[in-house]
């Protein structure tokens, strides 16, 4: 096996393992930017089977939606939601795994 082939295999292995280690865990929450205020956001959420959990902090026109029933065709629901005239942006949220960092005190002898 040539040096180039060995290098390519090692590079491929490293890329494959790093990508598989960082798989994204999507959750059932969506950030939706809606023009027109909370009443319009409520109407749009209701029309597409979402529950509007309310405005997000100080962000203008950004609301947190949760899909009530996930047994439906998600792609159809998201496509219909994105075609609403007042909807400017949709972003599905994802969970992050929290890893507690440990600190060890050095042992003095």
């Amino acid at each position: 096996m040539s040096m180039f082939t060995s290098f390519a295999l090692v590079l491929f292995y490293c890329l494959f393992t790093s990508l598989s280690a960082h798989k994204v865990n999507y959750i059932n929450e969506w950030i939706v930017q809606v023009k027109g205020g909370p009443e319009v956001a409520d109407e749009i959420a209701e029309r597409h089977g979402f529950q509007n959990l309310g405005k997000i902090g100080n962000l203008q026109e950004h609301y947190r939606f949760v899909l009530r029933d996930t047994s439906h065709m998600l792609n159809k629901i998201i496509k219909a939601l994105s075609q609403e005239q007042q909807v400017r942006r949709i972003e599905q949220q994802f969970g992050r795994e929290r890893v507690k960092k440990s600190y060890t005190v050095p042992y003095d002898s």
Side-chain angles (χ1 to χ4, degrees), residues 1-105:
M1 199 179 325
S2 73
M3 188 171 183
F4 176 76
T5 306
S6 299
F7 175 75
L9 287 173
V10 169
L11 181 63
F12 176 75
Y13 175 77
C14 291
L15 286 173
F16 179 75
T17 56
S18 69
L19 289 175
S20 64
H22 297 291
K23 65 181 177 181
V24 178
N25 180 26
Y26 287 101
I27 60 175
N28 197 26
E29 290 187 11
W30 301 79
I31 303 304
V32 182
Q33 185 178 4
V34 178
K35 179 182 171 184
E39 294 82 15
V40 174
D42 286 339
E43 290 173 14
I44 291 173
E46 184 70 31
R47 189 167 34 240
H48 295 285
F50 286 88
Q51 177 183 1
N52 180 6
L53 297 181
K55 191 169 179 277
I56 300 173
N58 293 329
L59 295 175
Q60 291 183 351
E61 302 179 336
H62 286 75
Y63 301 89
R64 198 170 103 198
F65 285 15
V66 174
L67 193 58
R68 289 191 195 129
D69 182 11
T70 57
S71 64
H72 292 90
M73 296 284 289
L74 185 60
N75 290 339
K76 279 186 168 182
I77 294 170
I78 299 309
K79 183 177 180 181
L81 179 62
S82 67
Q83 291 175 345
E84 287 281 346
Q85 188 175 11
Q86 295 88 354
V87 173
R88 295 183 177 190
R89 182 175 153 217
I90 303 169
E91 181 179 324
Q92 186 174 12
Q93 300 303 288
F94 55 91
R96 295 180 187 221
E97 186 176 325
R98 303 287 184 199
V99 178
K100 187 174 181 177
K101 297 179 181 178
S102 63
Y103 174 76
T104 58
V105 179

